[in-house]
mmCIF file of all heavy atoms in Angstrom:
data_model
loop_
_atom_site.group_PDB
_atom_site.id
_atom_site.type_symbol
_atom_site.label_atom_id
_atom_site.label_comp_id
_atom_site.label_asym_id
_atom_site.label_seq_id
_atom_site.Cartn_x
_atom_site.Cartn_y
_atom_site.Cartn_z
ATOM 1 N N THR A 348 -8.764 10.911 4.879
ATOM 2 C CA THR A 348 -8.099 9.934 4.029
ATOM 3 C C THR A 348 -9.013 9.362 3.031
ATOM 4 O O THR A 348 -10.185 9.067 3.359
ATOM 5 C CB THR A 348 -7.497 8.808 4.905
ATOM 6 O OG1 THR A 348 -6.605 9.404 5.881
ATOM 7 C CG2 THR A 348 -6.696 7.766 4.072
ATOM 8 N N TYR A 349 -8.524 9.146 1.838
ATOM 9 C CA TYR A 349 -9.320 8.559 0.778
ATOM 10 C C TYR A 349 -8.595 7.322 0.300
ATOM 11 O O TYR A 349 -7.330 7.371 0.045
ATOM 12 C CB TYR A 349 -9.466 9.601 -0.378
ATOM 13 C CG TYR A 349 -10.138 9.016 -1.574
ATOM 14 C CD1 TYR A 349 -11.555 8.759 -1.616
ATOM 15 C CD2 TYR A 349 -9.481 8.737 -2.734
ATOM 16 C CE1 TYR A 349 -12.194 8.249 -2.686
ATOM 17 C CE2 TYR A 349 -10.136 8.191 -3.881
ATOM 18 C CZ TYR A 349 -11.447 7.995 -3.796
ATOM 19 O OH TYR A 349 -12.103 7.477 -4.914
ATOM 20 N N SER A 350 -9.284 6.193 0.145
ATOM 21 C CA SER A 350 -8.673 4.996 -0.415
ATOM 22 C C SER A 350 -8.849 4.970 -1.884
ATOM 23 O O SER A 350 -10.000 5.140 -2.436
ATOM 24 C CB SER A 350 -9.323 3.764 0.177
ATOM 25 O OG SER A 350 -9.061 3.689 1.494
ATOM 26 N N TRP A 351 -7.753 4.833 -2.638
ATOM 27 C CA TRP A 351 -7.824 4.911 -4.095
ATOM 28 C C TRP A 351 -7.094 3.641 -4.595
ATOM 29 O O TRP A 351 -5.864 3.508 -4.497
ATOM 30 C CB TRP A 351 -7.163 6.129 -4.633
ATOM 31 C CG TRP A 351 -7.355 6.380 -6.122
ATOM 32 C CD1 TRP A 351 -7.859 5.582 -7.018
ATOM 33 C CD2 TRP A 351 -6.979 7.609 -6.824
ATOM 34 N NE1 TRP A 351 -7.894 6.219 -8.231
ATOM 35 C CE2 TRP A 351 -7.369 7.407 -8.109
ATOM 36 C CE3 TRP A 351 -6.400 8.816 -6.387
ATOM 37 C CZ2 TRP A 351 -7.169 8.436 -9.083
ATOM 38 C CZ3 TRP A 351 -6.244 9.742 -7.350
ATOM 39 C CH2 TRP A 351 -6.578 9.575 -8.625
ATOM 40 N N GLU A 352 -7.880 2.669 -5.081
ATOM 41 C CA GLU A 352 -7.349 1.425 -5.639
ATOM 42 C C GLU A 352 -6.274 0.782 -4.689
ATOM 43 O O GLU A 352 -5.261 0.352 -5.110
ATOM 44 C CB GLU A 352 -6.754 1.715 -7.021
ATOM 45 C CG GLU A 352 -7.778 2.205 -8.006
ATOM 46 C CD GLU A 352 -7.144 2.603 -9.342
ATOM 47 O OE1 GLU A 352 -5.966 2.221 -9.629
ATOM 48 O OE2 GLU A 352 -7.830 3.226 -10.152
ATOM 49 N N GLY A 353 -6.652 0.731 -3.444
ATOM 50 C CA GLY A 353 -5.829 0.096 -2.455
ATOM 51 C C GLY A 353 -4.734 0.951 -1.807
ATOM 52 O O GLY A 353 -4.112 0.551 -0.854
ATOM 53 N N ASP A 354 -4.557 2.142 -2.310
ATOM 54 C CA ASP A 354 -3.603 3.079 -1.723
ATOM 55 C C ASP A 354 -4.361 4.123 -0.925
ATOM 56 O O ASP A 354 -5.549 4.309 -1.035
ATOM 57 C CB ASP A 354 -2.780 3.757 -2.811
ATOM 58 C CG ASP A 354 -1.949 2.708 -3.536
ATOM 59 O OD1 ASP A 354 -1.406 1.773 -2.926
ATOM 60 O OD2 ASP A 354 -1.734 2.877 -4.748
ATOM 61 N N LYS A 355 -3.626 4.828 -0.088
ATOM 62 C CA LYS A 355 -4.175 5.850 0.763
ATOM 63 C C LYS A 355 -3.728 7.265 0.413
ATOM 64 O O LYS A 355 -2.537 7.506 0.302
ATOM 65 C CB LYS A 355 -3.839 5.627 2.261
ATOM 66 C CG LYS A 355 -4.311 4.274 2.842
ATOM 67 C CD LYS A 355 -5.788 4.244 3.040
ATOM 68 C CE LYS A 355 -6.211 2.972 3.664
ATOM 69 N NZ LYS A 355 -7.620 2.788 3.756
ATOM 70 N N ILE A 356 -4.675 8.138 0.190
ATOM 71 C CA ILE A 356 -4.416 9.562 -0.084
ATOM 72 C C ILE A 356 -4.864 10.304 1.147
ATOM 73 O O ILE A 356 -6.039 10.391 1.426
ATOM 74 C CB ILE A 356 -5.138 10.011 -1.319
ATOM 75 C CG1 ILE A 356 -5.148 9.038 -2.508
ATOM 76 C CG2 ILE A 356 -4.683 11.441 -1.727
ATOM 77 C CD1 ILE A 356 -3.776 8.692 -3.009
ATOM 78 N N HIS A 357 -3.921 10.961 1.860
ATOM 79 C CA HIS A 357 -4.179 11.732 3.047
ATOM 80 C C HIS A 357 -4.225 13.162 2.636
ATOM 81 O O HIS A 357 -3.325 13.702 1.990
ATOM 82 C CB HIS A 357 -3.111 11.465 4.054
ATOM 83 C CG HIS A 357 -2.911 10.033 4.427
ATOM 84 N ND1 HIS A 357 -3.694 9.408 5.319
ATOM 85 C CD2 HIS A 357 -2.044 9.162 3.973
ATOM 86 C CE1 HIS A 357 -3.321 8.160 5.432
ATOM 87 N NE2 HIS A 357 -2.294 7.961 4.580
ATOM 88 N N LEU A 358 -5.282 13.830 3.001
ATOM 89 C CA LEU A 358 -5.419 15.248 2.715
ATOM 90 C C LEU A 358 -5.326 16.031 4.088
ATOM 91 O O LEU A 358 -5.972 15.637 5.004
ATOM 92 C CB LEU A 358 -6.798 15.591 2.113
ATOM 93 C CG LEU A 358 -7.214 14.792 0.843
ATOM 94 C CD1 LEU A 358 -8.544 15.246 0.327
ATOM 95 C CD2 LEU A 358 -6.166 14.972 -0.243
ATOM 96 N N LEU A 359 -4.541 17.076 4.072
ATOM 97 C CA LEU A 359 -4.220 17.819 5.304
ATOM 98 C C LEU A 359 -4.377 19.291 5.120
ATOM 99 O O LEU A 359 -3.845 19.919 4.141
ATOM 100 C CB LEU A 359 -2.814 17.520 5.790
ATOM 101 C CG LEU A 359 -2.243 18.330 6.878
ATOM 102 C CD1 LEU A 359 -2.903 18.039 8.191
ATOM 103 C CD2 LEU A 359 -0.748 18.081 7.019
ATOM 104 N N LYS A 360 -5.106 19.942 6.048
ATOM 105 C CA LYS A 360 -5.145 21.375 6.085
ATOM 106 C C LYS A 360 -4.599 21.737 7.522
ATOM 107 O O LYS A 360 -5.330 21.585 8.559
ATOM 108 C CB LYS A 360 -6.561 21.952 5.959
ATOM 109 C CG LYS A 360 -7.153 21.636 4.599
ATOM 110 C CD LYS A 360 -8.475 22.360 4.298
ATOM 111 C CE LYS A 360 -9.533 22.152 5.345
ATOM 112 N NZ LYS A 360 -10.790 22.789 5.005
#
Side-chain angles (χ1 to χ4, degrees):
T348 301
Y349 176 73
S350 293
W351 191 349
E352 298 176 12
D354 295 325
K355 299 288 185 187
I356 315 301
H357 304 277
L358 306 181
L359 169 67
K360 296 190 308 185

